[in-house]
Amino acid sequence: MSVVPSASFICRPKPSTNQREPAPAQLYHHNYTSATVPMEAVLAKMAVEERDEIRQRDGYQKIFQSCEQARKDGYEWLWVDTCGIDKRSSAELSEAINSMYRWYENSRLCYAHLHDVAGPRFSTASDDERYPTSSGWPEWFSRGWTLQELIAPSNVQFFNRNWKSIGDKMTLAPTLHHITGIPEHILMDGLRGNRPCVAQIMSWAANRKTTRVEDKAYSLMSLLDVHMPMTYGEGKKAFHRL
């Protein structure tokens, strides 16, 4: 697991301790570096045109803006999904997937950046013309992995494409229930001592999509309180194992 210092915009592994759980911090809803390397120092070695082009990429801006927001909110560290896991290591990837729900649950605050929302609020009605590939709602709500990102944290802050606040999970609970079908009490309190039946959890994920076929199953493991090894390449068999 790697975390990002918000002030210095450096990506580095979290110092090793005897405590395996990450300390409470921001989580942002998997580039990797094995040493402490300031991102700007790396960019400084590139040609000006290439450097400027990289700074405009969505992935770079996502990390930069989340660091800026964490700094404004008074947090020193945050975990960003695009630079928090070494996917080259099957052991680290497996541990991360099995631990991710706990990371979200233990976080002080989670940022959800909705790149396809331009205004200051969610629409209260589905819009198939604006969101033709995600059931009429912003893409974030159609992704498999974001289901646990919505349920596990006690505090989720939503931002539009320009990083302007849309609101938080508590105040938006009625709208989020309308969009996702997740009961408001689950949105407010999570699954601790309040776990619904398997069929209901499956219904929340029914129309969600993942890039990898296996992730359709893996993204549900923590929600179903299941732990199992990851075997990418097994295809739909992952769901049968689940």
Side-chain angles (χ1 to χ4, degrees), residues 9 46 58 61 78 114 123-124 140 146 161 188 190 202 212 240:
F9 198 31
M46 298 178 177
D58 291 343
Q61 286 299 315
L78 74 157
L114 280 61
S123 173
T124 56
W140 192 86
T146 58
R161 70 170 59 163
M188 304 282 275
M202 289 289 196
R212 305 283 299 264
H240 295 303

Side-chain angles (χ1 to χ4, degrees), residues 47-238:
V48 174
E49 295 82 3
E50 184 180 9
R51 182 168 66 238
D52 291 344
E53 189 272 329
I54 288 176
R55 285 183 177 139
Q56 295 305 312
R57 292 180 185 176
D58 291 343
Y60 182 95
Q61 286 299 315
K62 171 182 175 177
I63 299 173
F64 180 79
Q65 294 295 341
S66 58
C67 284
E68 283 290 292
Q69 187 62 45
R71 184 180 58 80
K72 291 176 185 176
D73 289 338
Y75 288 90
E76 182 181 358
W77 296 93
L78 74 157
W79 180 84
V80 187
D81 60 357
T82 49
C83 66
I85 302 171
D86 183 2
K87 295 176 72 175
R88 299 169 300 183
S89 167
S90 59
E92 180 172 334
L93 180 60
S94 179
E95 181 180 8
I97 290 177
N98 277 289
S99 304
M100 202 172 295
Y101 186 92
R102 218 160 46 244
W103 295 349
Y104 285 116
E105 190 174 45
N106 292 339
S107 68
R108 295 277 177 82
L109 178 60
C110 179
Y111 297 144
H113 178 234
L114 280 61
H115 70 92
D116 50 3
V117 175
R121 61 183 63 87
F122 297 132
S123 173
T124 56
S126 62
D127 189 338
D128 292 327
E129 185 175 343
R130 177 176 293 181
Y131 306 112
T133 63
S134 51
S135 303
W137 299 106
E139 185 184 5
W140 192 86
F141 294 104
S142 71
R143 295 174 181 166
W145 287 108
T146 58
L147 182 57
Q148 64 179 359
E149 295 177 26
L150 179 60
I151 293 174
S154 59
N155 187 356
V156 181
Q157 299 284 336
F158 292 91
F159 296 88
N160 69 10
R161 70 170 59 163
N162 297 316
W163 283 87
K164 301 298 182 182
S165 177
I166 297 173
D168 63 78
K169 183 170 73 166
M170 296 300 180
T171 58
L172 292 171
T175 301
L176 295 172
H177 165 65
H178 176 63
I179 294 173
T180 65
I182 302 171
E184 288 186 41
H185 69 275
I186 297 291
L187 292 169
M188 304 282 275
D189 302 324
L191 297 177
R192 277 178 286 195
N194 198 23
R195 192 175 297 275
C197 68
V198 171
Q200 186 174 16
I201 294 176
M202 289 289 196
S203 72
W204 305 335
N207 297 318
R208 291 175 177 260
K209 304 172 184 175
T210 58
T211 303
R212 305 283 299 264
V213 174
E214 298 87 351
D215 284 337
K216 189 88 170 171
Y218 300 160
S219 62
L220 289 172
M221 291 195 305
S222 293
L223 293 168
L224 297 173
D225 198 22
V226 170
H227 293 271
M228 66 182 195
M230 260 98 297
T231 310
Y232 283 104
E234 67 176 328
K236 294 181 180 179
K237 290 182 180 179

